Amino acid sequence: ISLGESESDTATVTGDGGDTPTGKITFFVCGPTTNATACSDANDSEVGSPVALSGSGDVATATSASFTPSETGVYCFLGLYPGNRHYAPASDGSTTDECFNVYPNHP
C-alpha cells in the first residue's frame, strides 16, 4: 500500500464438528521492519478492540479495525483466537500471509 492508506486483516476460524466457532479475535500489528518479521503480541500494537467472530456451520470470520501506518517499511499482522469450549486457541502470524509493504506516496 502507499503511505497514508489503510490495511486490515481478516481471520477465519474453521471447525470440524458442526459447531460454529465463537469468541473474539484480537489483532496486533508490528513494524516497520525491512523484512517480513512475525509478530508476537508481547511487543506489538493492538489494532482496535477484539472483534467477535460471525459465521455459520464450521466457519466464522472477523475483520480487524483499519490500521494506517505512519512510516514506510514492512508491517505484519497477528491474529489471536482464545478458543472456546469446542475449539482450541489458535493464532496466525505467518510472514507469508500476514505481512504487507508500505511504499512512499508519490504525487
Side-chain angles (χ1 to χ4, degrees), residues 4-107:
E5 294 179 339
S6 298
E7 186 69 70
S8 61
D9 190 29
T10 299
T12 301
V13 178
T14 304
D16 60 5
D19 292 309
T20 304
T22 60
K24 293 183 177 186
I25 304 289
T26 303
F27 293 95
F28 297 88
V29 68
C30 60
T33 58
T34 55
N35 297 306
T37 304
C39 297
S40 70
D41 66 317
N43 55 8
D44 302 316
S45 298
E46 189 170 335
V47 179
S49 299
V51 180
L53 287 163
S54 71
S56 61
D58 291 10
V59 179
T61 61
T63 299
S64 73
S66 293
F67 169 72
T68 305
S70 59
E71 298 178 51
T72 59
V74 180
Y75 292 80
C76 297
F77 281 107
L78 169 67
L80 296 179
Y81 174 59
N84 66 17
R85 67 178 201 197
H86 297 287
Y87 298 107
S91 65
D92 185 3
S94 131
T95 56
T96 304
D97 298 328
E98 296 296 325
C99 298
F100 61 98
N101 290 303
V102 178
Y103 300 99
N105 189 3
H106 296 289

